Amino acid sequence: MEDAVSTYELTKVFGSFTAVDRLSISIRRGEIYGFLGPNGSGKSTTIRMLCGILEPTAGSGRVLGYDLVREAEKIKRRIGYMSQKFSLYEDLTVYENLDFYAGLYGLPHRERKKRIAEMIDMALLTGREKELAVNLSSGFKQRLALGCAIISRPAILFLDEPTSGVSPTGRRGFFKIIQRLAAEGTTVIVTTHFMDEAERCYRVAFLSEGRLIAQDTPDNLKNNVIEGCLVELDFPGAMERIAEIERLPYVRECSIHGPLLHVLLESERLAEALGRHTGGRIKIIRPSLEDVFVFLARKKRRQVS
């Protein structure tokens, strides 16, 4: 079966700034695929090119078998799109918003009432059909926006930072809905900077400065990317001693994680030496996706410089 999305050296340049730099990826049908990276890494620009909103500067791509440049309008008719700035009409009710988007996507009148009811049930908005969107909490607005995006049963759902400003509980509930959609065959492509969301993706692509620096399942990335022994280091004044720790001959990387430091050592046997040197508490840990991203981004910068 043909991939839902495939790109070859996809590039987008704005003036002298390269937002996406020769991106080559493939996304399977029915997959939850995440683009992960900080602000400015090229996630949203990539999504907008895949949606047919932005024309690539160079490279090529296909979405649902359609060419990104020549058949952009055909792509737009087969996809759903939602972002943190998704436009609900706040002076319309829940029902009126869904009815408006059903019409916008060309949903036949004979199907519209049933589909709107399904979206209200999915968004847990039963009983609030006549409530104005402006009066909904951020979590309910997000679910209503999702309902508007998928009311036409799109083959691909693009989610561009959809849960910014939503509570952790709201984010978890939102992703349960996303996982249900994927199980039913919808391809879901999401950009995020939340590591807990990335963990729920089937595969993730790490972007840094517009470039793809890794692509794999979350487990494979955590198990296979970082070489050495990662430890959590806790001691008073840790932030002031980062440069000192990085100069130790057996330390490969050192990064800040809240009040703690994560330190990458050449081997597990050196953990005790680090503990003696700093006088801090040492705990050997399994790398998180954030650890993997920090490691890969620094490695990429060293290669470029």
Side-chain angles (χ1 to χ4, degrees), residues 146-218:
L146 177 63
C148 292
I150 65 172
I151 197 162
S152 65
R153 295 186 178 88
I156 299 181
L157 175 61
F158 289 95
L159 303 171
D160 191 7
E161 299 280 0
T163 57
S164 293
V166 178
S167 70
T169 302
R171 294 207 312 268
R172 284 193 295 271
F174 182 84
F175 258 76
K176 284 181 181 176
I177 296 170
I178 297 309
Q179 288 167 325
R180 201 158 62 235
L181 288 172
E184 294 167 358
T186 304
T187 304
V188 181
I189 301 172
V190 58
T191 71
T192 183
H193 57 271
F194 292 119
M195 297 297 162
D196 60 327
E197 291 186 352
E199 291 274 7
R200 296 183 175 94
C201 295
Y202 299 0
R203 286 189 300 153
V204 295
F206 281 127
L207 296 183
S208 179
E209 299 176 341
R211 295 180 179 178
L212 178 69
I213 58 174
Q215 175 186 239
D216 211 329
T217 65

Side-chain angles (χ1 to χ4, degrees), residues 6-19:
S6 61
T7 70
Y8 177 72
E9 295 197 347
L10 197 64
T11 301
K12 184 62 182 179
V13 177
F14 297 99
S16 60
F17 174 66
T18 302

Side-chain angles (χ1 to χ4, degrees), residues 21-279:
D21 190 1
R22 292 168 293 172
L23 180 67
S24 297
I25 58 169
S26 60
I27 300 173
R28 305 173 193 120
R29 292 178 186 259
E31 181 171 32
I32 303 177
Y33 187 95
F35 285 107
L36 190 61
N39 291 336
S41 61
K43 303 188 304 294
S44 293
T45 302
T46 298
I47 288 283
R48 288 168 190 154
M49 284 193 285
L50 296 180
C51 287
I53 298 169
L54 279 179
E55 187 171 328
T57 305
S60 62
R62 300 188 74 80
V63 176
L64 298 171
Y66 299 119
D67 182 87
L68 271 185
V69 176
R70 297 194 310 271
E71 300 174 290
E73 291 306 312
K74 292 179 180 177
I75 292 171
K76 290 175 187 175
R77 288 197 289 269
R78 298 283 311 280
I79 64 173
Y81 175 80
M82 175 187 166
S83 77
Q84 65 189 91
K85 298 176 183 176
F86 188 88
S87 297
L88 288 174
Y89 290 89
E90 295 198 326
D91 56 343
L92 295 182
T93 66
V94 166
Y95 190 96
E96 288 167 341
N97 266 286
L98 289 164
D99 188 51
F100 172 78
Y101 279 96
L104 197 65
Y105 283 116
L107 210 64
H109 281 281
R110 63 183 179 276
E111 293 181 26
R112 198 173 295 186
K113 191 172 181 179
K114 179 176 180 288
R115 189 62 178 156
I116 290 172
E118 290 172 352
M119 294 301 94
I120 288 171
D121 180 62
M122 177 276 297
L124 303 179
L125 286 166
T126 302
R128 297 190 175 191
E129 293 88 343
K130 295 182 180 180
E131 190 169 339
L132 292 176
V134 70
N135 296 327
L136 298 174
S137 69
S138 60
F140 280 121
K141 281 182 180 177
Q142 171 212 48
R143 290 179 191 167
L144 175 57
L146 177 63
C148 292
I150 65 172
I151 197 162
S152 65
R153 295 186 178 88
I156 299 181
L157 175 61
F158 289 95
L159 303 171
D160 191 7
E161 299 280 0
T163 57
S164 293
V166 178
S167 70
T169 302
R171 294 207 312 268
R172 284 193 295 271
F174 182 84
F175 258 76
K176 284 181 181 176
I177 296 170
I178 297 309
Q179 288 167 325
R180 201 158 62 235
L181 288 172
E184 294 167 358
T186 304
T187 304
V188 181
I189 301 172
V190 58
T191 71
T192 183
H193 57 271
F194 292 119
M195 297 297 162
D196 60 327
E197 291 186 352
E199 291 274 7
R200 296 183 175 94
C201 295
Y202 299 0
R203 286 189 300 153
V204 295
F206 281 127
L207 296 183
S208 179
E209 299 176 341
R211 295 180 179 178
L212 178 69
I213 58 174
Q215 175 186 239
D216 211 329
T217 65
D219 278 345
N220 282 347
L221 288 166
K222 288 185 292 186
N223 292 335
N224 302 324
V225 169
I226 296 180
E227 296 177 358
C229 174
L230 189 68
V231 300
E232 183 181 87
L233 178 58
D234 182 12
F235 67 104
M239 303 306 143
E240 289 75 42
R241 295 179 63 184
I242 290 176
E244 171 199 336
I245 292 168
E246 287 179 325
R247 285 195 295 270
L248 293 171
Y250 49 82
V251 169
R252 291 179 173 174
E253 300 280 352
C254 181
S255 58
I256 300 169
H257 287 252
L260 307 171
L261 298 181
H262 283 194
V263 184
L264 181 61
L265 307 173
E266 289 180 357
S267 69
E268 185 176 329
R269 63 183 175 80
L270 294 165
E272 189 178 332
L274 180 63
R276 284 197 306 270
H277 179 86
T278 61

